[in-house]
């Protein structure tokens, strides 16, 4: 049984609807972190509808799956995947699950594919990131989503403001000198590895806050994307973050304590200069991309191989496609040329969404007082403002696929508020000084 209701203001005109039921087809697989329950419900809708509520009966449940953990998922052709519906309610007496929808193609019941060990339950995002669920969390789909979002936020903070990683530079290149000037002195290290053809640059940021490192305009330096990133690695989304930065601002991110690897392409002789500064936008991008990975499953845009393909096409297509990508205009000829060159299929809309989110974050964080200069002394004031911008930018994407102002998604977004205090607490008081965090790395061939 299926029930479909259009609330007041959710549609107009003569609305007619019919349903079909069929097994989940091979070309619409469930996200890796989700298991589906029962058959797929297809919808034939006639009329102008913007919002509705759908309820689907469930029958026998697999072992270990409890009714309250069920949620309705809707198919989005634009995203090429299944989207969890919000405001879901399970009725264990009538054996139904209901949710609000702004999508009107097909639906299926599903829940998190839980992992359980001595530490408790965990869920896995589509990108393969394993997130623990706090003990005592209500066993419902959205309560687990909120707990996972909080765990993801904690991972992001640790990832971006942790203790310095080792800087391994063997074998070191003998034909290039590296000079680093940082404020305060000695807080950034860099070296070049020996190699044939393109060489690798490694840069370590020992300040306890992330920075943006501006790349040369000639394209001789670009991010190195590790497509072998392990599923539960905290840097699983670094590749797409740095791809966004490369396209939109010609920069790459270096987290606090992090060592990053860049590729130095053969080119004209002469010094190569990288300049950097601490920047809140890295925090905004990292936390936002993790939320997109959690709430919009199947997004091919968030996979390392997509990031690598986009970077390879950047030199030829990046400048022409930049403005249209920033606006989320997937139909623009320059964007279509870029996507054809990457060979990425079925991800057009999700790639445009991710770039639109990134552009929104970068544009808005640039307006926050203290977000682009004297960052460490402005942690208390700049942080909350930047996190509110992150939420606003995420909503511009969510509201394309989820009903506006849905409480379930808002509860997940509310976890972002914890980033401000966590980041501030990670920065020692001795580092909260005016004017810190400027860096210049100069590479000179001998």
């Amino acid at each position: 049984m299926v029930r479909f209701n259009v609330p007041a203001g959710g549609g107009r005109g003569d609305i007619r609807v019919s349903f079909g039921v069929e097994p989940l087809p091979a070309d619409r697989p469930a996200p890796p972190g989700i298991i589906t329950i029962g058959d797929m419900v297809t919808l034939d809708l006639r009329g102008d509808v913007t919002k509705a509520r759908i309820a689907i009966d469930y029958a026998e449940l697999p072992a270990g799956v409890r009714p309250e953990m069920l949620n309705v998922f809707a198919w989005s052709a634009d995203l090429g995947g299944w989207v969890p519906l919000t405001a879901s309610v399970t009725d264990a007496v009538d054996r139904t699950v209901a949710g609000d929808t702004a999508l009107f193609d097909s639906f299926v019941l599903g829940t998190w594919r839980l992992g359980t060990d001595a530490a408790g339950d965990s869920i896995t995002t589509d990108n393969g990131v394993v997130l623990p669920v706090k003990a005592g969390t209500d066993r419902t789909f959205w309560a687990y989503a909120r707990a996972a979002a909080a765990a993801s936020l904690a991972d992001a903070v640790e990832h971006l403001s942790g203790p310095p990683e080792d800087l391994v530079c063997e074998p070191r290149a003998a034909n290039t000198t590296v000079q680093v000037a940082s404020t305060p002195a000695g807080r950034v290290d860099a070296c070049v590895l020996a190699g044939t053809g393109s060489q690798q640059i490694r840069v370590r940021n020992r300040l306890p806050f992330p920075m943006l490192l501006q790349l040369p305009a000639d394209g001789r330096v670009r991010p190195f994307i590790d497509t072998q990133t392990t599923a539960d690695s905290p840097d699983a989304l670094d590749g797409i973050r740095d791809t966004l930065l490369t396209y939109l601002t010609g920069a790459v991110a270096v987290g606090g304590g992090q060592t990053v690897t860049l590729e130095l392409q053969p080119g004209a002789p002469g010094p190569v200069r990288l300049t950097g500064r601490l920047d809140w936008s890295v925090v905004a991008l990292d936390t936002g991309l993790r939320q997109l990975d959690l709430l919009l499953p199947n997004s091919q845009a968030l996979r390392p191989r997509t990031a690598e393909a986009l970077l390879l096409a950047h030199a030829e297509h990046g400048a022409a496609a930049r403005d249209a990508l920033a606006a989320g205009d997937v139909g623009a000829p320059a964007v279509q040329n870029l996507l054809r060159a990457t060979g990425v299929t079925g991800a057009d809309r999700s790639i445009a969404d991710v770039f639109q989110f990134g552009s929104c974050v970068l544009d808005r964080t640039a307006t926050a007082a203290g977000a682009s200069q004297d960052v460490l002394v402005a942690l208390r004031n700049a942080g909350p403002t930047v996190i509110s911008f992150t939420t606003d930018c995420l909503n511009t994407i969510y509201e394309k696929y989820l009903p506006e102002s849905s409480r379930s998604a808002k509860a997940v977004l509310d976890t972002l508020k914890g980033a401000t205090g966590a980041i501030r607490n990670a920065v020692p008081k001795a580092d909260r000084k005016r004017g810190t965090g400027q860096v210049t790395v100069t590479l000179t061939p001998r």
Side-chain angles (χ1 to χ4, degrees), residues 364 382-394 416-417 420:
R364 298 202 65 184
T385 303
V386 169
I387 292 303
S388 71
F389 290 163
T390 309
T391 301
D392 292 344
C393 293
L394 283 170
L416 288 170
K417 295 175 181 177
T420 298

Side-chain angles (χ1 to χ4, degrees), residues 7 12 15 23 25-26 32 37 52 87 129 132 136 199 218-219 237 268 285 292 313 348 373 388 413-414 423:
R12 61 185 179 183
I15 299 170
I37 312 296
V129 179
Q199 293 179 313
D218 61 9
L237 294 172
L285 284 174
L292 287 170
D348 299 23
Q373 58 184 354
S388 71
L413 282 169
D414 280 346
I423 288 285

Side-chain angles (χ1 to χ4, degrees), residues 152-165 187 204-211 234-235 238 241 253-260 278-280 282-284 286-287 290 375-376 379 418-428 431-432:
S152 179
L153 176 67
D155 280 351
V157 170
E158 183 177 3
H159 184 51
L160 293 176
S161 57
E165 300 172 354
R187 302 304 291 273
R204 178 172 62 173
N205 169 23
R206 286 189 283 169
L207 284 160
F209 195 88
M211 66 169 50
D235 57 358
D238 283 5
R241 177 201 65 198
V254 190
Q258 281 186 346
T259 297
V260 300
L278 301 182
D279 201 296
W280 264 105
V282 181
V283 178
D286 258 52
T287 54
R290 287 164 184 258
V375 172
L376 296 179
L379 290 172
T420 298
I423 288 285
R424 187 170 65 244
N425 292 337
V427 178
D431 277 318
R432 301 178 198 177

Side-chain angles (χ1 to χ4, degrees), residues 346-408:
D348 299 23
R349 181 68 266 163
S350 60
I351 287 175
D353 286 344
V354 167
F355 272 92
Q356 185 179 6
F357 163 74
S359 177
C360 176
V361 162
L362 293 168
D363 287 347
R364 298 202 65 184
T365 53
T367 68
S372 61
Q373 58 184 354
D374 300 331
V375 172
L376 296 179
V377 84
L379 290 172
R380 183 178 296 277
N381 298 323
T385 303
V386 169
I387 292 303
S388 71
F389 290 163
T390 309
T391 301
D392 292 344
C393 293
L394 283 170
N395 275 326
T396 64
I397 307 304
Y398 288 156
E399 288 174 2
K400 299 178 185 180
Y401 310 103
L402 302 174
E404 188 174 354
S405 303
S406 59
R407 288 176 296 175
S408 302

